[in-house]
Amino acid sequence: MKEWDAFNEIVKAKGMWLTDSNGNNLLDGVASMWCNVWGHSKPELINAITKQSKKLQHSSMFNLTNEPAEKLAENLVKMSPGMHKVFYSDNGSSAMEIAIKIALQYWNNIGEMKKTKIATLENGYHGDTFGAMSVGYVPEFFSKFKKQLFPTIQIPVPNKYRIPKEYSYFDYQNFCLDKIENQFSKDDKIAAFVMESGAQVAGGVIIFPKGFQRKISKICKKYNVLLVLDEIATGFGRLGSMIQYTEQKSIPDIVAYGKMLTGGYLTMAATLTSKKIYDSFLGEFYDWKHLFHGHTFTGNPLSSAVANENLRLYQKNNLIKKIQKTSKVFEEYYEEIAEIETVGDIRHKGMLMGIEIVKDKKNKIPIRPKKSINKIFFEEGKKHGIYLRTLGNIVMLVPPLAISEEELGLLLNRTINTIKSAQNQIL
Ligand SMILES: Cc1ncc(COP(=O)(O)O)c(C=O)c1O
């Protein structure tokens, strides 16, 4: 906070552009925290909210239900192969807490009391609450709470740019998969394996190699371990597919959605489970098999209504096809970005790009400037008319999904100029 004496106050936004109180326009390279789909002030989404707000703003999903939430659950189940029921929450971290609780309680419900451990991929990120921090341990973020987090079994992840010298990329993938198989084969107390689907985003845009996630799902099945996938940042088209786990051929037992679910307009997340998991929660009241979990705004009608409209627009506008075409614009800039003195690596899939900034390209030495890298790039980006955020030494490009080819080109051009002009402050 000490670095930030003043924040830019955003007063309005339209399309891909944010406007601050000084009248500056910034191209939204962050999709307003990775959730914006259509750009800002989309009339159809605004109408969905206002229309619903005249009927029912909020009731409760304790003993009750509401029409938009029911319809949304139907929509979500229909588009999610293998999933059967939906549990709503209002942010991604909560959706992951719920996923963890469901996974652990499932084994308890079916009488397998010893299955209580959770395995995860190193470097994952699943939110900032305690359960989510435990399964997504990022040392820089969470080390202050390490003692309070529950223990997990951590499996290394193949980061192509930084694999140990003695391995080829392919061999290291097998090394990680073997580690999972070894763990699972010698420990029958593992309840679930929790991972992001398709890529680790906050952990530095680590895109999983083809087949990696599918093989993990097979190992999970073989050893009777539940697969919990987090599609909060990677589903809904961010990586170029509506449902990332179908592209990865890895049907989970539990999956979490968030961020883009409402087009980025209202707060909502969802945890979906298979029928096998859901059925284990059915029983006589005093069997205590039900899930003791609920939030005030669970299944909020306004959020549900805008999510339904958002999903309708995905279909109407064939958004996934559009993303697949628009995202090719990223490729046109690979060479120009790679030539920059401080760029060590470029990682890209769909509407997500991570540019790793290094001090020494040859030896891949990370930069460590006095000020935070995020602050430096944010300020430089502002001078170039873009809203940029870095995570560690990775410049993240996460634009609204429906960005046009022209605006994406502009974002990339301005990012290149920003990196070049920020260089003297970071070397
Ligand atoms: C993969 C993943 N899971 C969970 C979360 C947490 O979501 P929220 O910020 O809505 O709590 C995030 C947020 O960035 C995320 O990237």
Side-chain angles (χ1 to χ4, degrees), residues 17-46:
W17 296 86
L18 305 167
T19 305
D20 72 13
S21 51
N22 297 320
N24 299 310
N25 290 322
L26 300 174
L27 185 53
D28 187 355
V30 183
S32 291
M33 220 44 244
W34 314 348
C35 64
N36 193 289
V37 176
W38 303 100
H40 301 269
S41 303
K42 179 89 172 158
E44 292 92 328
L45 297 183
I46 296 169

Side-chain angles (χ1 to χ4, degrees), residues 34 91-94 96 125-127 196 201-202 230 232-233 259:
W34 314 348
N91 63 82
S93 308
S94 297
M96 287 308 295
Y125 177 82
H126 301 284
E196 284 157 84
V201 186
D230 178 346
I232 291 160
K259 291 202 185 275

